[in-house]
Amino acid sequence: MEVVLEVTNIGKEVAGRTLFQRVTFSCTRDTILFVQGGNGSGKSTLLKILAGIYEPTDGDVRWNTNKIGYVPEHFPEGLRFKVKEYLLLTASFHTSAKESELLLAKYMDLFGLSSFQNTPLANCSKGTKQKVGIIQALLMQPDLLLLDEPLTGLDQGAQKAFVSLLHELRGQIPIIFTAHEEGPITQVATETLQIETGKMSIYQPHRQRKPQRLIRVKFQEEQDLAFVPSDRIHFDGKTAVITVEEDKSDNLLRKLLGADCSILEVKVKS
Amino acid sequence: MFHIGSEGEIMIRSSFIQYQMKSYLRSLTFIPPVTLFGAWVIIFYTYSGVPIMSSYVITSVSMYLVMTWVAMNVFSLEDETEKNLLIVQLNGKRAYLIGKWAVCFLVTAVLGAFALVYPLVFSIFKEPIQPVQLMAAIYGHIICGFFGVLVGSFFSTLKIESKRFAWLSAMFVIVISLAAEGIVEKASFFKWLLLPFPPIYQVILHFTDGTPYVVGNGFWLDTLWVMVYVVAGFFLTKKLFLKRE
């Protein structure tokens, strides 16, 4: 299948600090890529490089596209247009007015924006602006869609509508998105990119993970629990709550009893 | 590899110019420079019977100042996110920059037309204008406007530490370029140092009031240098913009 986007060993340095390095992947029309990484790992910067806004410090990006749709994390403040006027004006950079009007009506309806079409953007809420940001990218009828935290500020209905729209677009254009945590949008992903390692892999949805249990224990000394990984334990005075995978819980309980801890509670993590 | 056909580029430019014009007009930042220029032209022509070319030289120099102001306003219309979004929507920084310049040139055309036509409509000059004088005056207003756009866009692109320094630097260039001839007369070794500054003197030098008006000997050579300067200036600013943004 034709490669739409090819990224080879790119890295980005900002003010002497390396955000990421040796990121390599390629996208075809079937790709829906979930970019994962911690705060400040450069997810938004990577998307800006893919959108052609920034240049990478190292490496090479090759596009086989005519139009890119880009949804920024925060929609610009202080735009001097009304909702419909802005969307038609930016859509007319690429498509005819008649074509844009039809598509616009469809998306306005989908996101429940019909009653806001003559509202100045400056008066819109964060969620409404985010919807406008998504619609402007879709109206371009892009060959590549880049979404930076697209669900931020959207209500449940709009989130659902947007995720089902992404399902519809699956196989038509490559989609690359970032998200802080797993949620409805990540279920659409086909692949994932760990920005820290720079490698792409098949996406394993969260729901396929093993069920978890919470164990509440009373301990004598904090160092008695040193064998529990720090990201799995939460201390509260002389008690602690430990998260453990269900099939490992019996083994952990034995260890805890051996370390003179009292088991206060064991329950399934919801 | 962005592929855009020529039809696409025309479509981009016209609708982006519309976007920019609406945004500029609604920002109201056009009011101070445009009002000042309009009022200045009207006050300047309060008395009739004035010489043609030495009046036009004043409005040409005013165009230089006002268009620097307008260009700096136009180039700071958007915040960073809106600019980034426009660059993606327009398929690149080049179309964005050209759209900005197009808006500045439109404003140059409107202000220049006003400055040229106003004294003719109200018969303010002491004698009828000759076609060659009119041509020279049009050339002078357009070139001075272009110099202003160049200085304004160059210093907006340069992103000197703060906006205040960008303004100060632009004002410095304007003052030096206007005073260039006087500086060179006092100390000729400045001649080469002043080469990077807009050659405004080479334009206004030819606005003489002799009757009949004749184009001086050095006019074409000076015009050639002015053209080379304008083309090189816009080329350099484009390179700088593509590199820095």
Side-chain angles (χ1 to χ4, degrees), chain A residues 25 35 52 54 85 109 136 140 146 150 179 193 195 206 211 265 270:
Chain A
F25 65 91
V35 181
Y54 292 168
E85 181 191 25
D109 196 38
Q136 64 77 27
M140 286 180 70
L146 304 170
L193 174 81
I195 200 162
H206 188 263
E265 189 183 10
S270 56

Side-chain angles (χ1 to χ4, degrees), chain B residues 37-101:
Chain B
F37 184 78
W40 164 240
V41 170
I42 292 167
I43 293 165
F44 181 70
Y45 288 119
T46 307
Y47 300 105
S48 53
V50 294
I52 298 170
M53 296 311 279
S54 43
S55 300
Y56 274 148
V57 81
I58 300 292
T59 49
S60 294
V61 171
S62 310
M63 284 284 292
Y64 179 35
L65 300 169
V66 166
M67 284 316 300
T68 303
W69 190 348
V70 168
M72 292 196 81
N73 283 342
V74 169
F75 274 80
S76 57
L77 269 182
E78 297 97 21
D79 65 14
E80 204 58 27
T81 322
E82 186 182 356
K83 185 164 72 183
N84 289 344
L85 199 50
L86 280 169
I87 287 170
V88 182
Q89 288 164 337
L90 293 165
N91 261 359
K93 297 167 189 171
R94 201 183 305 263
Y96 174 83
L97 177 67
I98 289 169
K100 289 273 180 195
W101 276 339

Side-chain angles (χ1 to χ4, degrees), chain A residues 100-120:
Chain A
S100 304
E101 287 258 18
L102 286 171
L103 262 180
L104 178 62
K106 176 188 157 188
Y107 292 132
M108 291 280 252
D109 196 38
L110 184 75
F111 287 101
L113 275 189
S114 303
S115 58
F116 289 93
Q117 49 184 313
N118 290 318
T119 307

Side-chain angles (χ1 to χ4, degrees), chain A residues 134-168:
Chain A
I134 291 170
I135 295 175
Q136 64 77 27
L138 294 170
L139 278 181
M140 286 180 70
Q141 296 174 270
D143 308 312
L144 168 66
L145 189 57
L146 304 170
L147 311 162
D148 195 357
E149 310 270 355
L151 299 190
T152 311
L154 292 190
D155 53 60
Q156 289 286 323
Q159 286 193 13
K160 218 170 154 186
F162 184 54
V163 170
S164 63
L165 189 69
L166 292 182
H167 275 293
E168 274 177 39

Side-chain angles (χ1 to χ4, degrees), chain B residues 71-72 75 93-94 96-98 100-101 104-105 146-159 173 196 198 228-245:
Chain B
M72 292 196 81
F75 274 80
K93 297 167 189 171
R94 201 183 305 263
Y96 174 83
L97 177 67
I98 289 169
K100 289 273 180 195
W101 276 339
C104 293
F105 296 151
F146 278 18
F147 282 156
V149 175
L150 199 51
V151 172
S153 54
F154 181 82
F155 284 102
S156 300
T157 303
L158 207 54
K159 286 195 173 154
V173 167
V228 168
Y229 184 90
V230 168
V231 172
F234 280 109
F235 180 75
L236 187 73
T237 308
K238 189 188 90 178
K239 284 270 178 205
L240 186 75
F241 181 85
L242 296 181
K243 192 166 178 271
R244 294 202 71 129
E245 289 298 333

